[in-house]
Amino acid sequence: ACNSVNTPTFSIFGYSACIIDFSLKCDNDQQFFDFMGCSPKFDILDRTIAGSLKIQRPKGLSEKDFYAAAVASTSGAISFTHGTAAGNRVAVSLPKVQLGAPSPDDASGLAALTLPFTVRRTPGSSDAGTIAFT
């Protein structure tokens, strides 16, 4: 279960957040090529990694201003480790995340904030982040 025991810390843009919901979607632009004189093949031309998370809203903008980070297109990191036992852990590190427009939300009466995000990378490189199973 994703809870305080199995996932004790979650950091977004250096802020230790209480996570209510997290989703990550990895899309590949995969195309089939069949040219004369060549073997038919599939190639991955591009990939997009995006997601969203719902956090317990910070007490004030002085605690963490996600609105300013989104407007300024600032990049930041998301990182967490889920699981406590060796062989049953996954560590997620996304060093270059850009936020979309934050939206106020509610979670069973708690003030929340939904933050859409896109994982950025240096064009032509594989520096989008890591998901490691240990």
Side-chain angles (χ1 to χ4, degrees), residues 27-33 41-46:
D27 284 330
N28 287 328
D29 177 9
Q30 184 175 357
Q31 296 188 21
F32 177 72
F33 296 96
K41 65 178 180 175
F42 281 96
D43 268 345
I44 296 175
L45 302 180
D46 198 10

Side-chain angles (χ1 to χ4, degrees), residues 35-114:
F35 300 122
M36 293 186 297
C38 297
S39 298
K41 65 178 180 175
F42 281 96
D43 268 345
I44 296 175
L45 302 180
D46 198 10
R47 66 179 183 272
T48 303
I49 304 170
S52 72
L53 55 109
K54 184 189 295 189
I55 64 171
Q56 187 172 352
R57 192 166 54 205
K59 293 186 182 358
L61 295 179
S62 62
E63 188 174 354
K64 187 63 178 181
D65 190 351
F66 288 109
Y67 295 96
V71 168
S73 297
T74 303
S75 290
I78 290 177
S79 64
F80 67 94
T81 299
H82 173 70
T84 58
N88 289 315
R89 282 189 298 248
V90 61
V92 176
S93 175
L94 307 171
K96 200 172 177 183
V97 172
Q98 187 174 352
L99 297 177
S103 59
D105 210 331
D106 178 85
S108 301
L110 292 175
L113 194 62
T114 295

Side-chain angles (χ1 to χ4, degrees), residues 1-10 19 80-85 88-89:
C2 293
N3 55 33
S4 61
V5 173
N6 295 321
T7 317
T9 61
F10 189 106
I19 301 302
F80 67 94
T81 299
H82 173 70
T84 58
N88 289 315
R89 282 189 298 248

